[in-house]
CSV table of all heavy atoms in Angstrom, one decimal:
chain,number,residue,atom,x,y,z
A,1,GLU,N,0.8,-1.2,0.0
A,1,GLU,CA,0.0,0.0,0.0
A,1,GLU,C,0.8,1.3,0.0
A,1,GLU,O,0.4,2.3,-0.5
A,1,GLU,CB,-0.9,0.0,1.2
A,1,GLU,CG,-2.0,-1.0,1.2
A,1,GLU,CD,-2.8,-1.1,2.5
A,1,GLU,OE1,-2.4,-0.5,3.5
A,1,GLU,OE2,-3.8,-1.9,2.5
A,2,LEU,N,2.1,1.2,0.5
A,2,LEU,CA,2.9,2.4,0.7
A,2,LEU,C,3.2,3.1,-0.6
A,2,LEU,O,3.1,4.3,-0.7
A,2,LEU,CB,4.2,2.0,1.4
A,2,LEU,CG,5.1,3.2,1.7
A,2,LEU,CD1,4.4,4.3,2.6
A,2,LEU,CD2,6.4,2.7,2.4
A,3,GLY,N,3.7,2.3,-1.6
A,3,GLY,CA,4.1,3.0,-2.9
A,3,GLY,C,3.0,3.8,-3.5
A,3,GLY,O,3.1,5.0,-3.8
A,4,PRO,N,1.8,3.2,-3.8
A,4,PRO,CA,0.7,3.9,-4.3
A,4,PRO,C,0.3,5.1,-3.5
A,4,PRO,O,-0.1,6.2,-4.0
A,4,PRO,CB,-0.4,2.9,-4.5
A,4,PRO,CG,0.3,1.6,-4.6
A,4,PRO,CD,1.5,1.7,-3.7
A,5,LEU,N,0.3,4.9,-2.1
A,5,LEU,CA,-0.1,6.0,-1.3
A,5,LEU,C,0.9,7.2,-1.4
A,5,LEU,O,0.5,8.4,-1.4
A,5,LEU,CB,-0.2,5.5,0.2
A,5,LEU,CG,-0.5,6.6,1.2
A,5,LEU,CD1,-1.9,7.3,0.9
A,5,LEU,CD2,-0.5,6.0,2.6
A,6,LEU,N,2.2,6.9,-1.4
A,6,LEU,CA,3.2,8.0,-1.5
A,6,LEU,C,3.0,8.7,-2.9
A,6,LEU,O,3.1,9.9,-3.0
A,6,LEU,CB,4.6,7.4,-1.4
A,6,LEU,CG,5.0,7.1,0.0
A,6,LEU,CD1,6.4,6.4,0.0
A,6,LEU,CD2,5.0,8.3,0.9
A,7,CYS,N,2.7,7.9,-3.9
A,7,CYS,CA,2.5,8.5,-5.3
A,7,CYS,C,1.3,9.4,-5.3
A,7,CYS,O,1.4,10.5,-5.8
A,7,CYS,CB,2.4,7.4,-6.3
A,7,CYS,SG,2.4,7.9,-8.0
A,8,ASP,N,0.2,9.0,-4.7
A,8,ASP,CA,-1.0,9.8,-4.6
A,8,ASP,C,-0.7,11.0,-3.8
A,8,ASP,O,-1.2,12.1,-4.1
A,8,ASP,CB,-2.2,9.0,-4.0
A,8,ASP,CG,-2.7,8.0,-4.9
A,8,ASP,OD1,-2.4,8.0,-6.1
A,8,ASP,OD2,-3.5,7.1,-4.5
A,9,THR,N,0.0,10.9,-2.7
A,9,THR,CA,0.3,12.0,-1.8
A,9,THR,C,1.2,13.1,-2.6
A,9,THR,O,0.9,14.3,-2.5
A,9,THR,CB,1.0,11.6,-0.5
A,9,THR,OG1,0.1,10.6,0.1
A,9,THR,CG2,1.2,12.7,0.4
A,10,ALA,N,2.2,12.6,-3.3
A,10,ALA,CA,3.0,13.5,-4.1
A,10,ALA,C,2.2,14.2,-5.2
A,10,ALA,O,2.4,15.4,-5.4
A,10,ALA,CB,4.2,12.7,-4.7
A,11,ARG,N,1.2,13.5,-5.7
A,11,ARG,CA,0.4,14.1,-6.8
A,11,ARG,C,-0.5,15.2,-6.1
A,11,ARG,O,-0.7,16.3,-6.7
A,11,ARG,CB,-0.6,13.0,-7.4
A,11,ARG,CG,0.1,12.2,-8.4
A,11,ARG,CD,-0.9,11.2,-9.0
A,11,ARG,NE,-0.2,10.3,-9.9
A,11,ARG,CZ,-0.2,9.0,-9.9
A,11,ARG,NH1,-0.9,8.4,-8.9
A,11,ARG,NH2,0.5,8.3,-10.8
A,12,VAL,N,-1.0,15.0,-5.0
A,12,VAL,CA,-1.8,16.0,-4.3
A,12,VAL,C,-0.9,17.2,-4.0
A,12,VAL,O,-1.3,18.4,-4.3
A,12,VAL,CB,-2.4,15.4,-3.0
A,12,VAL,CG1,-3.0,16.6,-2.1
A,12,VAL,CG2,-3.5,14.4,-3.3
A,13,VAL,N,0.3,17.0,-3.4
A,13,VAL,CA,1.2,18.1,-3.1
A,13,VAL,C,1.6,18.9,-4.4
A,13,VAL,O,1.5,20.1,-4.4
A,13,VAL,CB,2.4,17.6,-2.4
A,13,VAL,CG1,3.5,18.6,-2.3
A,13,VAL,CG2,2.0,17.1,-1.0
A,14,GLU,N,1.9,18.2,-5.4
A,14,GLU,CA,2.3,18.8,-6.7
A,14,GLU,C,1.2,19.6,-7.3
A,14,GLU,O,1.4,20.7,-7.8
A,14,GLU,CB,2.9,17.8,-7.6
A,14,GLU,CG,4.2,17.2,-7.1
A,14,GLU,CD,5.3,17.1,-8.1
A,14,GLU,OE1,5.1,17.3,-9.3
A,14,GLU,OE2,6.4,16.8,-7.6
A,15,THR,N,0.0,19.0,-7.3
A,15,THR,CA,-1.2,19.7,-7.9
A,15,THR,C,-1.5,21.0,-7.1
A,15,THR,O,-1.8,22.0,-7.8
A,15,THR,CB,-2.4,18.7,-7.9
A,15,THR,OG1,-2.1,17.6,-8.7
A,15,THR,CG2,-3.6,19.4,-8.5
A,16,LEU,N,-1.5,20.9,-5.8
A,16,LEU,CA,-1.9,22.1,-5.0
A,16,LEU,C,-0.8,23.1,-4.8
A,16,LEU,O,-1.1,24.3,-4.7
A,16,LEU,CB,-2.4,21.6,-3.7
A,16,LEU,CG,-3.7,20.7,-3.7
A,16,LEU,CD1,-4.1,20.3,-2.3
A,16,LEU,CD2,-4.8,21.4,-4.4
A,17,CYS,N,0.4,22.7,-4.8
A,17,CYS,CA,1.5,23.6,-4.5
A,17,CYS,C,2.4,24.0,-5.7
A,17,CYS,O,3.1,25.0,-5.6
A,17,CYS,CB,2.4,23.0,-3.4
A,17,CYS,SG,1.5,22.7,-1.9
A,18,ARG,N,2.4,23.2,-6.7
A,18,ARG,CA,3.2,23.5,-7.9
A,18,ARG,C,4.7,23.8,-7.6
A,18,ARG,O,5.2,24.8,-8.0
A,18,ARG,CB,2.6,24.7,-8.7
A,18,ARG,CG,1.2,24.5,-9.2
A,18,ARG,CD,1.2,23.6,-10.3
A,18,ARG,NE,-0.2,23.5,-10.9
A,18,ARG,CZ,-0.7,22.4,-11.3
A,18,ARG,NH1,0.0,21.3,-11.4
A,18,ARG,NH2,-2.0,22.4,-11.8
A,19,PRO,N,5.3,22.9,-6.8
A,19,PRO,CA,6.7,23.1,-6.4
A,19,PRO,C,7.7,22.8,-7.5
A,19,PRO,O,7.3,22.1,-8.4
A,19,PRO,CB,6.9,22.1,-5.2
A,19,PRO,CG,6.0,21.0,-5.6
A,19,PRO,CD,4.8,21.6,-6.3
A,20,GLU,N,8.9,23.3,-7.4
A,20,GLU,CA,9.9,23.0,-8.3
A,20,GLU,C,10.4,21.5,-8.0
A,20,GLU,O,10.7,20.8,-8.9
A,20,GLU,CB,11.1,23.9,-8.1
A,20,GLU,CG,10.9,25.3,-8.8
A,20,GLU,CD,10.1,26.2,-7.9
A,20,GLU,OE1,10.0,26.1,-6.7
A,20,GLU,OE2,9.5,27.1,-8.5
A,21,GLN,N,10.3,21.1,-6.7
A,21,GLN,CA,10.6,19.8,-6.3
A,21,GLN,C,9.7,19.3,-5.2
A,21,GLN,O,9.2,20.2,-4.4
A,21,GLN,CB,12.0,19.6,-5.8
A,21,GLN,CG,13.1,19.7,-6.8
A,21,GLN,CD,14.4,19.2,-6.3
A,21,GLN,OE1,14.5,18.3,-5.5
A,21,GLN,NE2,15.5,19.7,-6.9
A,22,THR,N,9.4,18.1,-5.1
A,22,THR,CA,8.7,17.5,-3.9
A,22,THR,C,9.6,16.5,-3.3
A,22,THR,O,10.1,15.5,-3.9
A,22,THR,CB,7.4,16.8,-4.4
A,22,THR,OG1,6.6,17.8,-5.0
A,22,THR,CG2,6.7,16.2,-3.2
A,23,TYR,N,10.0,16.8,-2.0
A,23,TYR,CA,10.9,15.9,-1.3
A,23,TYR,C,10.0,14.8,-0.7
A,23,TYR,O,8.9,15.1,-0.2
A,23,TYR,CB,11.6,16.6,-0.1
A,23,TYR,CG,12.6,17.7,-0.5
A,23,TYR,CD1,13.2,18.5,0.5
A,23,TYR,CD2,13.0,17.9,-1.8
A,23,TYR,CE1,14.1,19.4,0.2
A,23,TYR,CE2,13.9,18.8,-2.1
A,23,TYR,CZ,14.5,19.6,-1.1
A,23,TYR,OH,15.4,20.6,-1.5
A,24,VAL,N,10.5,13.6,-0.7
A,24,VAL,CA,9.9,12.5,0.0
A,24,VAL,C,11.0,11.8,0.9
A,24,VAL,O,11.9,11.3,0.3
A,24,VAL,CB,9.3,11.4,-1.0
A,24,VAL,CG1,8.6,10.3,-0.2
A,24,VAL,CG2,8.2,12.1,-1.9
A,25,CYS,N,10.8,12.0,2.2
A,25,CYS,CA,11.9,11.4,3.0
A,25,CYS,C,11.3,10.8,4.3
A,25,CYS,O,10.2,11.2,4.8
A,25,CYS,CB,12.9,12.5,3.4
A,25,CYS,SG,12.2,13.9,4.2
A,26,MET,N,12.0,9.9,4.8
A,26,MET,CA,11.6,9.1,6.0
A,26,MET,C,12.2,9.7,7.3
A,26,MET,O,13.4,10.1,7.3
A,26,MET,CB,12.0,7.7,5.9
A,26,MET,CG,11.4,6.8,7.0
A,26,MET,SD,12.3,5.3,7.2
A,26,MET,CE,13.8,5.9,8.1
A,27,TRP,N,11.4,9.8,8.3
A,27,TRP,CA,11.8,10.3,9.6
A,27,TRP,C,11.3,9.3,10.7
A,27,TRP,O,10.1,8.9,10.6
A,27,TRP,CB,11.3,11.6,10.0
A,27,TRP,CG,11.7,12.7,9.0
A,27,TRP,CD1,11.2,12.9,7.8
A,27,TRP,CD2,12.6,13.8,9.2
A,27,TRP,NE1,11.7,14.0,7.2
A,27,TRP,CE2,12.6,14.6,8.1
A,27,TRP,CE3,13.4,14.1,10.3
A,27,TRP,CZ2,13.4,15.7,8.0
A,27,TRP,CZ3,14.2,15.2,10.2
A,27,TRP,CH2,14.2,16.0,9.0
A,28,SER,N,12.1,8.9,11.6
A,28,SER,CA,11.6,8.0,12.7
A,28,SER,C,12.4,8.3,14.0
A,28,SER,O,12.4,7.5,14.9
A,28,SER,CB,11.6,6.5,12.4
A,28,SER,OG,13.0,6.1,12.2
A,29,HIS,N,13.1,9.4,14.0
A,29,HIS,CA,13.9,9.7,15.2
A,29,HIS,C,13.1,10.0,16.4
A,29,HIS,O,12.1,10.7,16.4
A,29,HIS,CB,14.8,11.0,14.9
A,29,HIS,CG,15.8,10.7,13.9
A,29,HIS,ND1,15.8,11.3,12.6
A,29,HIS,CD2,17.0,10.0,13.9
A,29,HIS,CE1,16.8,10.9,11.9
A,29,HIS,NE2,17.6,10.1,12.7
A,30,GLY,N,13.6,9.4,17.5
A,30,GLY,CA,13.2,9.8,18.8
A,30,GLY,C,14.4,10.4,19.5
A,30,GLY,O,15.4,10.6,18.9
A,31,ARG,N,14.3,10.6,20.8
A,31,ARG,CA,15.4,11.2,21.5
A,31,ARG,C,16.7,10.3,21.5
A,31,ARG,O,17.7,10.7,21.1
A,31,ARG,CB,15.1,11.5,22.9
A,31,ARG,CG,16.2,12.1,23.7
A,31,ARG,CD,15.7,12.7,25.0
A,31,ARG,NE,15.0,13.8,24.5
A,31,ARG,CZ,15.0,15.0,25.1
A,31,ARG,NH1,15.6,15.2,26.2
A,31,ARG,NH2,14.3,16.0,24.7
A,32,ASP,N,16.5,9.0,21.8
A,32,ASP,CA,17.6,8.1,21.9
A,32,ASP,C,17.4,6.9,21.0
A,32,ASP,O,18.3,6.0,20.9
A,32,ASP,CB,17.7,7.6,23.4
A,32,ASP,CG,18.1,8.7,24.3
A,32,ASP,OD1,18.9,9.6,23.9
A,32,ASP,OD2,17.5,8.8,25.4
A,33,ALA,N,16.3,6.7,20.4
A,33,ALA,CA,16.1,5.5,19.5
A,33,ALA,C,15.0,5.9,18.5
A,33,ALA,O,14.3,6.9,18.6
A,33,ALA,CB,15.6,4.4,20.4
A,34,ARG,N,14.8,5.0,17.6
A,34,ARG,CA,13.7,5.2,16.6
A,34,ARG,C,12.4,5.3,17.4
A,34,ARG,O,12.1,4.6,18.4
A,34,ARG,CB,13.6,4.0,15.7
A,34,ARG,CG,14.8,3.8,14.8
A,34,ARG,CD,14.6,2.6,14.0
A,34,ARG,NE,15.8,2.4,13.1
A,34,ARG,CZ,15.9,1.3,12.3
A,34,ARG,NH1,15.0,0.4,12.2
A,34,ARG,NH2,17.0,1.2,11.6
A,35,LYS,N,11.5,6.1,16.9
A,35,LYS,CA,10.2,6.4,17.6
A,35,LYS,C,9.0,5.8,16.8
A,35,LYS,O,8.3,5.0,17.3
A,35,LYS,CB,10.1,7.9,17.9
A,35,LYS,CG,8.9,8.2,18.8
A,35,LYS,CD,9.0,9.7,19.1
A,35,LYS,CE,7.8,10.0,20.0
A,35,LYS,NZ,7.8,11.4,20.4
A,36,HIS,N,8.7,6.4,15.7
A,36,HIS,CA,7.6,6.0,14.8
A,36,HIS,C,7.9,6.4,13.4
A,36,HIS,O,8.4,7.5,13.2
A,36,HIS,CB,6.3,6.6,15.3
A,36,HIS,CG,5.1,6.0,14.6
A,36,HIS,ND1,4.6,4.8,14.9
A,36,HIS,CD2,4.4,6.5,13.6
A,36,HIS,CE1,3.5,4.6,14.1
A,36,HIS,NE2,3.4,5.6,13.3
A,37,LEU,N,7.6,5.6,12.4
A,37,LEU,CA,7.8,5.9,11.0
A,37,LEU,C,6.9,7.0,10.6
A,37,LEU,O,5.7,6.9,10.7
A,37,LEU,CB,7.6,4.6,10.2
A,37,LEU,CG,7.8,4.8,8.7
A,37,LEU,CD1,9.2,5.1,8.4
A,37,LEU,CD2,7.3,3.5,8.0
A,38,HIS,N,7.6,8.0,10.0
A,38,HIS,CA,6.8,9.1,9.3
A,38,HIS,C,7.5,9.4,8.0
A,38,HIS,O,8.8,9.4,8.0
A,38,HIS,CB,6.9,10.4,10.2
A,38,HIS,CG,6.2,10.3,11.5
A,38,HIS,ND1,6.9,10.0,12.6
A,38,HIS,CD2,5.0,10.6,11.8
A,38,HIS,CE1,6.1,10.0,13.6
A,38,HIS,NE2,4.9,10.3,13.2
A,39,ILE,N,6.8,9.6,7.0
A,39,ILE,CA,7.4,9.9,5.7
A,39,ILE,C,6.8,11.3,5.3
A,39,ILE,O,5.6,11.5,5.1
A,39,ILE,CB,7.0,8.9,4.6
A,39,ILE,CG1,7.6,7.5,5.1
A,39,ILE,CG2,7.6,9.3,3.3
A,39,ILE,CD1,7.2,6.3,4.2
């Protein structure tokens, strides 16, 4: 499900914002360890 969801999300962002670039990056940092996956 992740690939199509990221593609749809990028389409929404690009359609509404018309950016020169759309960054897609993963974050899961907590203070001392991984916390929760966010893209």
Side-chain angles (χ1 to χ4, degrees):
E1 292 172 352
L2 182 60
L5 177 59
L6 286 175
C7 189
D8 289 347
T9 304
R11 284 185 182 122
V12 167
V13 167
E14 295 224 349
T15 298
L16 297 179
C17 300
R18 302 284 185 215
E20 284 79 25
Q21 286 197 30
T22 298
Y23 294 174
V24 178
C25 59
M26 186 200 80
W27 300 74
S28 67
H29 290 108
R31 178 164 292 219
D32 298 318
R34 294 176 183 181
K35 187 174 179 178
H36 187 78
L37 177 65
H38 296 92
I39 301 171

